[in-house]
Amino acid sequence: MGAQVTFEGRAWQVTGLVDGRVYLVAEDGATGCVLAVRLVSAPGFSVTGPTEPPAPALWETVPLAAQERALAWLRHIREVETGLPGGPVGGAPRPEYDPRRFTLAEREEVKARELAALGWARASRTTVQRMRLVYQRQGLWGLVDKRHLRTGSATGRTDERVVAAVLEALRRRRGRSKTTTLQIIELAEQIVADTHGPARVKLPGRSSLYRLVKALADPAEPPGSAARTATGPARSGGPPPALRPAERVDIATARLGLRAVGEDGGVVPVAVTAALDAASGCVLAAVLHPPQDGPVQLSVLLAEMAVPRPQRPGWPALLEQAHAGGPARRLVSLPERIEATAARPAAVPETLIVDQSTAAVTSAVLAVCESLGISLEPAPLRTAGAKRGAVRTLEVLAGLFARHATTAEEAYGAGQAVGAYWSMPQLQDLLDEWITVRWHQRPQEQLRHPLLPRAGLAPKEMWEVLLGVAGMVPLPLAGKHYGELLPARRCALTDSGIRLGGRRYDDACLDEHRGRGQRWEVHHHPHDPRQVFVRLPDGLLHAVGWAQGEHTLHPFDEMVRRRTGGVLARRGAGAQPSIETRDGSGAAGRTADVAAVEGIAGAMTVHDADGGGAGGHIARDTGGFGVYDPRAEAELW
């Protein structure tokens, strides 16, 4: 509320936030209303200027003396900037503050001397400049002395990890009459070392630890006293409730009851790792991957959840290609899908609840989270027969999507084993479409108000409701940050482009940098092969598309992929095909060279290892060559 934003090339002020819609007013009196998710994901959107005034409820918590001092600073800053204490509202400025005669630095120096004469402590020019700059960023709220807002804490500034270790040590030693405070401190130090590694957490001095144990211990049962009740395992009241969108986001993994065609042509199981908003149930990110490849990198999930899809490089073209490469009957048309995907929530989370077996956390990810202000919280330990709410929700999602994918496959006429027809990118595209069109529109039991137990909301509806209640919109990142968050590696740039993962990526922006003999920084999505991002000498990441990306979406190439998968499956089962020519020479177990095959005249016979054969001839296309089998063609059609 009150924030100044730039939208569609104009400056606006936020005047209202109701049901996920932002109400705006421009300087010339024009008004507007736009969905919050569309506003923050629109090209050119930014938050500018001070957010003045602060929320009334927040301003009332400031002591009266701090309010008066902030308002006094406001008058002095306005005089430095405009020459008038009340701002540019008419009148004549004092001579020493006339902007036409003195520079801004000179006016800051004059104001510092004036404040020092009035008895303001530490009123230097640097202080005046700092207060002026913080007012430009935060408005009147930035001028408030935040020391008046700090509340006392029993643990002071002690690291939260040390506090948690002391609480755990108190629990373990509870009820032991001979336990001393020193034993609890030593046990807490051991817990910190076992949990976070030796010397990874800085411990306070022994005297501070003594005070900490005394502050955290139960006054009715100090260390060394007998327990009044029987001891038992630690029980928590559950995680704190999430009241705002993107306040707490859970990372969870679940198995799909599907199989997909892997990159080697074999059939692989499929798992989904998703980021679920705890308050609204929205899926901010969902990545499919083979379970045997290990956990998904947390930086990939951050890129998926924090950058709106319309701002990602080449998003409309990539979506159009993916839409054309799946089943003919879609849930919605391509224009409707673009419209729905553009309104899908995206935000930088405040807290991520992560299980290290679910998402890989590296030092680089920790640095990114620190810079973005994201707190990382370990997932609670599972008790016997219990699951996290996010895991249960994701398992329901996985089951419903598996049913949808199976139905789509049967309608597509695959005619093969369930889940063994789709490739991983095709299955990922189906999942994205299904989450946007079905899951976010599906009422859920856990999204019910206690006073309305029979009215469950859909995740998208709950997101809009909570935006209006919270009075603030969680901001996402810009499109340029998408590639920056993805994992990086060094690759060579040849005349044919960049080779990565058995694929070739090429673009005209690489022409002037070929043949330099150096390796370039390349960012890539491990589970999305459609494009990579190369950092060129200008310091920016440039999107470079997969050279064969469009070619692999043609119907004939889809047929080639299916038949290639069948050949690889037979090879894995022990059947080694052989190519026999008229002279009787065989090439069993070997890969035929294209030039050699082109030089063979006459017909060819294809034999399986069991001796069965089928007459055929060489069929060519732009993608290479293949063996035409009339029986297989009849079965297909």
Side-chain angles (χ1 to χ4, degrees), residues 234-241:
R235 296 182 180 180
S236 62

Side-chain angles (χ1 to χ4, degrees), residues 110 144 274 327 385 455 599:
V110 172
V144 175

Side-chain angles (χ1 to χ4, degrees), residues 132-190:
R132 183 178 61 82
L133 295 177
V134 77
Y135 171 71
Q136 292 180 355
R137 295 192 302 268
Q138 303 179 18
L140 181 58
W141 183 250
L143 304 179
V144 175
D145 190 350
K146 304 303 187 299
R147 293 176 296 179
H148 297 285
L149 305 178
R150 294 175 183 171
T151 58
S153 173
T155 60
R157 299 183 179 180
T158 307
D159 194 317
E160 294 181 358
R161 294 170 290 185
V162 178
V163 175
V166 171
L167 290 173
E168 177 64 17
L170 286 169
R171 187 193 67 80
R172 293 183 185 181
R173 290 290 181 178
R174 180 170 175 260
R176 302 188 182 185
S177 58
K178 295 184 180 181
T179 299
T180 64
T181 304
L182 179 59
Q183 291 175 337
I184 293 177
I185 292 175
E186 293 175 346
L187 179 58
E189 293 174 345
Q190 184 63 38

